[in-house]
Amino acid sequence: MIQIEMKSKILPELNEQLIQREEKMWRIKLPSDYYQFLLRTNGGVPQKREFNFNNHKYMIVSFLCILENAEHSEFGFYDIDVVLSQIEERLTDNEDLVGCELLPIAELFAGDYICLDFKENKDNPSVCVWDHEESGELEPVTYKVADTFSEFVAMLM
């Protein structure tokens, strides 16, 4: 289980109706382990925030959240919809896509994001790093890190 630093806990707490509203808008079904994580924490800074992958050390700045009204929150820049609106053209190679295939769930140090990748499997998304420097408009570059959110969480140290 991920422990979130208390001073970074994002309020108000999340409810199932708001998550389900976002799932409809994104046209995806979140995996249960990540869904439960959101209900429990709604993002924030994890106590264990580093992981190694492909001979590279990554550090999580913060897990993203879901806010009812991001523009009126001091944490609005960590709202998943806000991040999606900023980089969405760089998260897909399908200009006609409605919804999302790559869902950013955590900001990494230096501008990359951890994403749930729904492209291969809509029911069981993998976890990947989205590379902001390599990605272009309609040309996302990702690196698969784990098969599931739980597997990714186990990598954190």
Side-chain angles (χ1 to χ4, degrees), residues 43-62:
V45 178
Q47 290 177 355
K48 294 180 180 181
R49 49 196 301 192
E50 294 181 358
F51 66 97
N52 292 311
F53 174 72
N54 205 20
N55 295 321
H56 185 76
K57 184 177 271 191
Y58 293 90
M59 186 174 75
I60 295 174
V61 173
S62 182

Side-chain angles (χ1 to χ4, degrees), residues 21-135:
R21 182 188 82 188
E22 294 296 303
E23 285 179 319
K24 284 181 186 175
M25 184 175 65
W26 299 328
R27 296 184 181 210
I28 56 174
K29 183 85 172 136
L30 296 174
S32 62
D33 51 359
Y34 180 65
Y35 188 102
Q36 292 305 315
F37 166 76
L38 278 175
L39 275 179
R40 189 173 53 78
T41 68
N42 196 21
V45 178
Q47 290 177 355
K48 294 180 180 181
R49 49 196 301 192
E50 294 181 358
F51 66 97
N52 292 311
F53 174 72
N54 205 20
N55 295 321
H56 185 76
K57 184 177 271 191
Y58 293 90
M59 186 174 75
I60 295 174
V61 173
S62 182
F63 278 98
L64 302 180
C65 61
I66 297 174
L67 297 170
E68 181 82 47
N69 193 346
E71 63 190 42
H72 290 49
S73 171
E74 66 181 293
F75 298 106
F77 51 92
Y78 287 121
D79 179 76
I80 292 173
D81 285 333
V82 169
V83 172
L84 275 171
S85 71
Q86 294 170 347
I87 62 174
E88 66 186 335
E89 293 87 20
R90 298 173 67 204
L91 290 174
T92 185
D93 57 6
N94 178 357
E95 66 183 321
D96 297 324
L97 178 69
V98 177
C100 68
E101 294 175 326
L102 287 174
L103 183 71
I105 62 170
E107 180 185 0
L108 297 175
F109 179 75
D112 295 336
Y113 284 91
I114 291 292
C115 296
L116 293 178
D117 186 346
F118 290 87
K119 286 188 280 187
E120 299 289 320
N121 188 334
K122 291 276 189 201
D123 297 323
N124 189 24
S126 59
V127 177
C128 66
V129 169
W130 172 79
D131 188 311
H132 81 285
E133 290 179 350
E134 297 293 323
S135 295

